[in-house]
Amino acid sequence: MIMKLTKDLKVLLLIYLILLLVPIFVHTDLYLMNILIMCLIWSVVAASWDLIMGFSGIFTFGQIAFFVIGAYSSAILTQTFDLSPWLGMPFGGVVAGLTGLLVGLPCLRLKGAYVALVTFAVHMILAPLLKSDLGRALGTGGSQGILTIKPMHFWGYSFSSMEPLPWFYTALFISLLCLLAVYRIIHSNWGLAFTAIRDAEPFAKSLGINGFKYKLVVFGITSFLTGIIGGFYAHYVGVLSTRILGLNLFLILMVMLVIGGLGRFPGAVIGAYLATFLSEWLRPMGNYRMLIFGGLVVLLVVYMPQGIAEILFPQDKPGPLERIRRRVFPKERRASLSNDS
Amino acid sequence: MYELIDVIISGVTNGSVYAMMAVGLSLVYGVTKVFNFAYGSLYTLGGYLAFTFFGCGFGYPLVILLTLVSLYLAGLLIERVIIRPLRRREDWEMLAMMVTLGLAIFLDNLYQVVYGPYVKSLPIMFSGNLQLAGFMLSIQDLVIFGIAVLVMGGFMIFLNTHRLGMAIEAVAQDMTGAQIVGIPKDRVFGFTFAISTVLAGFGGILLAPKYFITPFGGWDILVKAWVITALGGMGSVRGSLYAAFLLGIIEALIGWQFGLTWILFAWFAVLLGTLIVRPQGLFGTWG
Amino acid sequence: MIEIERIDVFYGEFHVLKNVSLNVAEKDLTILTGPNGHGKSTLLKAICGLQPVCSGRIRFAGKDITRLSPERRVEKGIVYIAENRHLFPQMSVLKNLKLGAYNKNARRDEAANLAAVFELFPRLKERKKQPASTLSGGEARMLAFARGLMSNARFLAIDEPSLGLAPNLRMNVFNAIREVHKRELTILLVEQNIPKIAELADRIHLLEEGEMTFSGDRETALAQDTIKQAFLGM
C-alpha cells in the first residue's frame, strides 16, 4: 500500500508534523490543548463530511448524527460490558457505519435535495429518540445524558483530564489514521468512481459504474470514521448529552467545509482548525458568535466557494489570480491566444 | 366523538396553513430549483416582523400589509444577492443549499439577538366561538382557515390564468424553453422567491397566536413543509394541497392519541414511506 | 441583418468557437453546416443570448446586442428554434403556442399568428388540447417551429429541424421553412441534410472545429469540394 507523495498528502503530513511538536511548547496550557484536541476530532468529522458531500456530491446532514451515535455507542458499550474504550471506539464506528448504510439505502434513488431532507430528518429525530424511553432503556440516560464515561487508559495508566498530553497524542494517532483512510479513498479507484457519480452520473452508469453500490460504500465509510472519532470524543469529554445535536455545531461544521473548499482534501482539515479557533475566539461574544458564523457561511459560499484550498493549492489549473483575471477580463484571453497562434 | 371532531378540525385548520406554506415551497423549488433551507426562518421572520409592527401600535390590517411587503422585499433581496451569483457555477444547487442553510441559522440567531430567547406572541385576531351543529368552533380558527384557503385559491387562479402565472409555470417546466419564448427568467426567479417568502411569512403570522414565535421555531415548519411537498409531489400545487390537509389531520390525530413527542416521528415515517414507495409523490409532475 | 464579428466561446477551458465571423443579410436564407459537435448549435445559441460570448461582437440591424439578455433579443425579433425543442411538456399545444407570443411585440398579434400557424400546421390544430409531452417527434418539432413563429420573429435561428424525422415529415418542415421565408423572414438554418434544402439557400457557411472554413453564395458553395465532402461525409 504505497502512497504517492502528492501535494495534498504533503500538506496533511506537514500539519501533523507541526502538531506532533507543538505540545512540547504548550502542553501546560490546558485550554489551548483542549482546543487542539477538539480540532483533531472535528477535522475527522469535517473530512468525512467533505468526502461524502464535497467529493462525492451527496448532500447529507448525517455527519453529526453518526458522530453522536458513535459517541453514545462507545460510551454505553464500555460502561455496560466494562470494556476498554479502545474496543468501544471501533464498536462505535461500526454502529455508526451500519446506521450510515441504513440511512443510505433509501437515499440511493433520491435526488440531491431529497437526500438532504432525509438526512436532516434523521438528525432531527435523533435527539428525541435518545431522550425517549426507548433510548433510556438502551442506556442513553434520557435527557440528562450520560454522566460518567470511562476514560481511556493505556496499559493500566488511566488518562485524566488534568493531563492533556496522552489524550492529545491518542487523538493525533487516531485522527491521522482516519484522515489517511480518507486520503487513500480519494486517490483510489473508489475515489474515481465517486467523482464520476458526482459529475456525470448517467455517463458513469453507462460505463458500468454501479452508482448504488458506491453511494452505499461512501455512506458507510464516512459514517464509520465519524463514529470512531465520536467514540473518542465521548471518552475524552466524559459526558454526553443531546445538546451536541443542536444546530450550532452544524453551522460550525459547515463553516469548516466552506472555508476549506468542498472536495479539496485536506481543505476540510484546515477549515476545521480555523473554524474551531474562530469559534473559541468568538465565544465571549455570546449570541453574536453564531450570527457571525452564519453570516460567514453565506459570504464564503457566495464570494469564495472554492475555499482556502483553492488559494493554497489550485489543481493544475492556472493560479487563482490568473483565473480571476480571466474571468474579469475575458478579452485578454483572445489576446493571449492570438499570441500563441 | 366530539373530541375526535375537534381534533380533526384543528388538524384541518393547521393543514390549511401548512398547505399555503407548502405551496410556496413547492413553487420555489419547482421554478428556481433551489432547496430553500431558510424557509422555516422566513416563516419565523413573518412572526417577528408582525410583532415589531404591533409594537409600533398599528392594528392588524396595517401590520399584515407592512409585514407582507417587507417579506416580499426580503425575498427579492435574498434571491438577488445570495442565490443569483451562485448560478454561474456548476455545483450551484449544492451551494444554494449550503447558503440557505447558513442564512437560516444566521437569521435564527439574529432573532435571538434582537428579540431575545423568550417566546413572543401576536394578539388573537378574533376571539369567541361559533356554535355549529353542536360543535364549538373558534372564530380565529375559521378565519385562519378562510384566509389560507383564499390565498391559495387566488394563487392557483393566478398561476393558471394570468400571463405571469403562466410564465412561472413555463420556467418551472422548461427553463430554456421559457427563455426561448422571451420570458425574463431572472425576474421570474426573483418574483417566485419573493412570493414564496411572503407565503412562508404569512403562515408565520397566522399561526403565531396559537403556537407563538420562537427564534428556532422555524425548523419544525421547514421539515413539515418539505414532507408535505414531497408527499404531494414536488412542483405540484394541487398535490401539496391534498397532502397538507391529510398530514395536518394525521398530525392532530397522532398528537391526540400518542402525545406530542410522537408527532415528529410520524412526519418522519411519512417522509420515508413516501420516498421509498413513490418518490415522485402523489401528484409529482414537474419533478 | 445579423453580423457576427470575431466571437470566441469557451466552455470552461474548451475553446468551442474560434474567432468566428458570419453575416446574414436581411431576407436571406443562410445555411450553416458542418460536422457534429463542432459548434454550430453554440453559434446559434450565442446569437440568441443563451450562450455568453467571451469576446467579439454580435450586431442585429446595426445595433450591438452582444450583452443583451435573451428576452430582450426575443423582443427585437430574434427567435431560436432549438434542436432539443424545449417545449413545455405538461402544457397543452395551445398553451405552448400562446406562450410563444409572450414577448411584448407579439402579444397583440397573438390571435392572428395563431390562425396562421394552424393553417401552416393543421396537425397541430387537431391536437391543440393535448399536452405537449404526448406529441410524436415530428409533431413536437412542428410545435417548436410554430411556437417560434408566434413570437413575431424578424430573424429565425433554426437548429437541425429535420433531424431524426421521416422523409415525408422532413419535407413538411422544409416546406414550412420555405413558406416562412417567402414571408420575408431572415433565416439562419443549421442543417446537415444539405441536398434537400440547398436550393432555398442564398448563402452557405461551413463550420469545422469551431472555425468558419467557408462562406459563400450557393453556387460557389456547391462547387466546393469541402462542401461536397461535408455533406457526403454524413
Side-chain angles (χ1 to χ4, degrees):
Chain A
M1 201 180 71
I2 303 173
M3 293 188 285
K4 260 189 349 194
L5 217 61
T6 52
K7 205 171 196 177
D8 47 355
L9 184 60
K10 280 192 222 171
V11 172
L12 181 68
L13 292 176
L14 180 64
I15 296 177
Y16 270 75
L17 191 63
I18 298 177
L19 287 172
L20 195 64
L21 302 172
V22 154
I24 301 179
F25 306 102
V26 299
H27 69 103
T28 45
D29 186 345
L30 287 181
Y31 179 60
L32 184 57
M33 290 300 288
N34 179 50
I35 299 181
L36 285 175
I37 294 175
M38 291 311 295
C39 285
L40 287 168
I41 295 177
W42 297 133
S43 64
V44 173
V45 181
S48 308
W49 198 16
D50 190 39
L51 178 57
I52 186 171
M53 194 152 87
F55 196 70
S56 311
I58 301 176
F59 201 101
T60 106
F61 282 112
Q63 274 340 88
I64 300 184
F66 300 135
F67 179 78
V68 170
I69 290 177
Y72 269 90
S73 306
S74 184
I76 294 176
L77 181 80
T78 53
Q79 205 67 31
T80 321
F81 297 106
D82 202 23
L83 287 176
S84 154
W86 291 101
L87 282 178
M89 286 190 308
F91 176 73
V94 166
V95 173
L98 287 176
T99 318
L101 287 176
L102 217 66
V103 169
L105 267 174
C107 293
L108 291 177
R109 275 185 304 159
L110 299 178
K111 270 192 298 187
Y114 285 100
V115 176
L117 180 57
V118 169
T119 50
F120 190 72
V122 167
H123 178 100
M124 291 203 79
I125 285 245
L126 196 57
L129 196 63
L130 289 173
K131 288 195 273 194
S132 72
D133 296 326
L134 175 65
R136 229 186 296 262
L138 286 173
T140 63
S143 31
Q144 261 195 327
I146 304 181
L147 296 173
T148 42
I149 306 182
K150 271 185 152 203
M152 316 260 317
H153 50 260
F154 200 60
W155 279 331
Y157 167 75
S158 196
F159 291 9
S160 89
S161 49
M162 301 307 285
E163 284 290 324
L165 275 183
W167 290 111
F168 180 84
Y169 283 109
T170 311
L172 193 74
F173 174 63
I174 298 178
S175 63
L176 182 60
L177 281 183
C178 292
L179 290 177
L180 284 177
V182 172
Y183 168 80
R184 194 73 184 83
I185 293 172
I186 291 180
H187 287 271
S188 70
N189 283 336
W190 276 352
L192 282 177
F194 294 153
T195 20
I197 293 173
R198 175 192 71 191
D199 290 337
E201 189 159 353
F203 181 59
K205 284 211 178 112
S206 73
L207 290 178
I209 297 179
N210 185 352
F212 288 2
K213 178 176 104 172
Y214 285 105
K215 282 187 194 172
L216 269 183
V217 163
V218 80
F219 258 104
I221 290 187
T222 53
S223 47
F224 173 68
L225 292 173
T226 312
I228 291 181
I229 207 75
F232 177 82
Y233 170 85
H235 296 286
Y236 172 59
V237 174
V239 295
L240 267 187
S241 80
T242 54
R243 267 185 51 208
I244 5 173
L245 285 168
L247 284 167
N248 287 344
L249 181 57
F250 227 115
L251 187 61
I252 302 181
L253 268 179
M254 267 219 303
V255 171
M256 294 182 193
L257 280 193
V258 179
I259 291 183
L262 285 170
R264 302 286 170 86
F265 185 83
V269 175
I270 299 177
Y273 286 87
L274 290 175
T276 311
F277 274 98
L278 184 63
S279 170
E280 284 309 313
W281 191 51
L282 290 176
R283 221 178 258 281
M285 300 192 71
N287 282 329
Y288 286 92
R289 182 170 67 119
M290 280 303 128
L291 202 60
I292 295 179
F293 265 88
L296 203 60
V297 167
V298 174
L299 287 174
L300 283 176
V301 171
V302 174
Y303 291 111
M304 202 170 78
Q306 259 102 336
I308 282 196
E310 181 69 12
I311 296 183
L312 291 182
F313 21 84
Q315 297 169 333
D316 299 322
K317 285 187 199 163
L321 284 177
E322 174 65 32
R323 294 162 64 107
I324 295 175
R325 197 159 62 85
R326 282 199 195 175
R327 198 163 293 178
V328 174
F329 304 106
K331 281 204 190 128
E332 278 195 293
R333 238 187 203 159
R334 183 163 60 120
S336 65
L337 277 169
S338 50
N339 284 340
D340 288 342
S341 51
Chain B
M1 183 57 178
Y2 285 144
E3 220 183 309
L4 175 67
I5 302 281
D6 253 342
V7 166
I8 292 186
I9 291 179
S10 166
V12 165
T13 315
N14 284 356
S16 67
V17 180
Y18 290 161
M20 187 178 73
M21 299 188 45
V23 164
L25 193 59
S26 177
L27 186 75
V28 84
Y29 184 66
V31 175
T32 68
K33 309 285 186 276
V34 170
F35 201 91
N36 187 3
F37 272 105
Y39 205 65
S41 307
L42 295 171
Y43 162 88
T44 316
L45 182 64
Y48 275 119
L49 280 178
F51 178 80
T52 313
F53 289 129
F54 267 116
C56 299
F58 301 134
Y60 240 116
L62 189 58
V63 165
I64 293 187
L65 182 66
L66 285 173
T67 309
L68 293 186
V69 169
S70 314
L71 287 168
Y72 184 83
L73 293 174
L76 278 183
L77 190 71
I78 295 174
E79 202 276 331
R80 201 58 187 340
V81 171
I82 299 182
I83 312 252
R84 203 178 289 188
L86 297 178
R87 281 187 207 278
R88 280 184 237 127
R89 295 177 50 90
E90 298 162 20
D91 49 356
W92 70 271
E93 281 191 32
M94 178 170 297
L95 290 179
M97 287 198 263
M98 295 198 89
V99 93
T100 50
L101 186 60
L103 181 67
I105 305 186
F106 174 80
L107 286 175
D108 286 353
N109 281 286
L110 187 66
Y111 304 149
Q112 192 164 49
V113 163
V114 173
Y115 295 100
Y118 300 112
V119 303
K120 301 274 182 273
S121 183
L122 295 179
I124 308 243
M125 265 187 267
F126 298 95
S127 53
N129 296 311
L130 203 61
Q131 269 271 15
L132 200 66
F135 297 108
M136 288 282 259
L137 300 168
S138 91
I139 298 193
Q140 171 88 352
D141 279 355
L142 277 175
V143 170
I144 292 180
F145 179 78
I147 294 181
V149 166
L150 266 175
V151 166
M152 267 191 313
F155 193 64
M156 285 176 72
I157 294 179
F158 166 76
L159 278 183
N160 270 324
T161 51
H162 193 266
R163 184 172 289 274
L164 185 54
M166 296 208 312
I168 293 177
E169 271 205 61
V171 172
Q173 292 191 21
D174 192 314
M175 224 183 268
T176 314
Q179 286 187 293
I180 288 179
V181 154
I183 293 175
K185 186 180 71 155
D186 282 340
R187 269 196 271 154
V188 168
F189 282 158
F191 178 74
T192 310
F193 205 89
I195 289 285
S196 81
T197 307
V198 168
L199 288 174
F202 197 30
I205 302 178
L206 289 179
L207 288 183
K210 247 207 287 194
Y211 295 109
F212 310 120
I213 314 170
T214 64
F216 294 94
W219 295 100
D220 270 357
I221 291 285
L222 175 72
V223 173
K224 288 180 190 174
W226 277 116
V227 174
I228 292 174
T229 37
L231 177 61
M234 208 59 94
S236 163
V237 168
R238 203 184 325 145
S240 300
L241 235 94
Y242 294 144
F245 281 107
L246 185 64
L247 288 175
I249 295 177
I250 292 180
E251 173 189 60
L253 288 172
I254 295 213
W256 177 51
Q257 280 296 332
F258 298 106
L260 292 173
T261 38
W262 285 100
I263 289 185
L264 199 55
F265 288 113
W267 282 93
F268 185 55
V270 168
L271 173 67
L272 218 50
T274 311
L275 294 178
I276 293 180
V277 169
R278 200 184 151 90
Q280 74 268 39
L282 293 172
F283 292 90
T285 46
W286 303 341
Chain C
M1 197 183 211
I2 290 270
E3 296 155 41
I4 300 176
E5 194 185 300
R6 297 219 292 268
I7 62 172
D8 285 278
V9 172
F10 286 83
Y11 288 157
E13 304 288 325
F14 179 46
H15 200 176
V16 179
L17 290 179
K18 304 171 186 163
N19 223 2
V20 169
S21 297
L22 175 70
N23 284 350
V24 181
E26 201 160 345
K27 302 197 198 151
D28 264 9
L29 190 152
T30 307
I31 294 188
L32 176 64
T33 189
N36 265 332
H38 285 223
K40 305 194 297 297
S41 293
T42 312
L43 184 56
L44 286 193
K45 285 192 206 162
I47 297 177
C48 302
L50 294 172
Q51 173 64 47
V53 148
C54 300
S55 62
R57 300 230 158 285
I58 301 179
R59 270 181 260 275
F60 180 71
K63 300 237 178 66
D64 189 335
I65 61 168
T66 323
R67 300 256 170 261
L68 215 57
S69 67
E71 55 262 20
R72 304 275 284 122
R73 297 192 203 198
V74 172
E75 256 174 49
K76 287 203 178 293
I78 303 175
V79 175
Y80 176 49
I81 299 179
E83 186 192 330
N84 280 342
R85 284 153 287 161
H86 288 293
L87 300 171
F88 305 121
Q90 275 97 36
M91 292 190 190
S92 67
V93 166
L94 185 60
K95 213 166 178 185
N96 267 275
L97 290 173
K98 284 182 144 182
L99 275 172
Y102 186 86
N103 78 80
K104 281 197 295 232
N105 294 332
R107 276 181 216 173
R108 43 166 193 243
D109 298 324
E110 184 183 305
N113 285 344
L114 205 56
V117 148
F118 279 146
E119 201 188 305
L120 209 51
F121 300 107
R123 191 105 60 110
L124 288 181
K125 186 169 191 181
E126 286 167 27
R127 304 208 188 294
K128 71 177 177 195
K129 292 257 167 74
Q130 287 180 266
S133 53
T134 60
L135 295 180
S136 72
E139 290 161 347
R141 279 204 195 274
M142 276 194 252
L143 180 55
F145 194 70
R147 188 181 66 178
L149 292 178
M150 294 290 299
S151 308
N152 260 8
R154 290 163 64 193
F155 170 82
L156 279 179
I158 313 180
D159 200 345
E160 309 239 27
S162 71
L163 193 63
L165 290 185
N168 61 326
L169 283 179
R170 237 185 278 150
M171 283 324 295
N172 276 349
V173 169
F174 289 153
N175 284 335
I177 295 181
R178 185 179 307 148
E179 266 305 310
V180 162
H181 181 49
K182 272 194 216 153
R183 301 178 194 191
E184 313 216 317
L185 243 60
T186 312
I187 299 183
L188 175 59
L189 179 61
V190 166
E191 253 301 341
Q192 293 187 358
N193 207 336
I194 302 196
K196 299 284 174 356
I197 193 80
E199 0 152 328
L200 288 182
D202 295 297
R203 292 181 70 79
I204 299 187
H205 301 265
L206 180 61
L207 190 67
E208 288 177 304
E209 306 229 344
E211 287 175 23
M212 199 66 86
T213 51
F214 174 82
S215 299
D217 60 53
R218 186 182 4 142
E219 279 95 30
T220 338
L222 292 178
Q224 292 280 331
D225 281 336
T226 42
I227 300 279
K228 287 211 194 122
Q229 222 169 42
F231 67 77
L232 276 183
M234 300 178 227

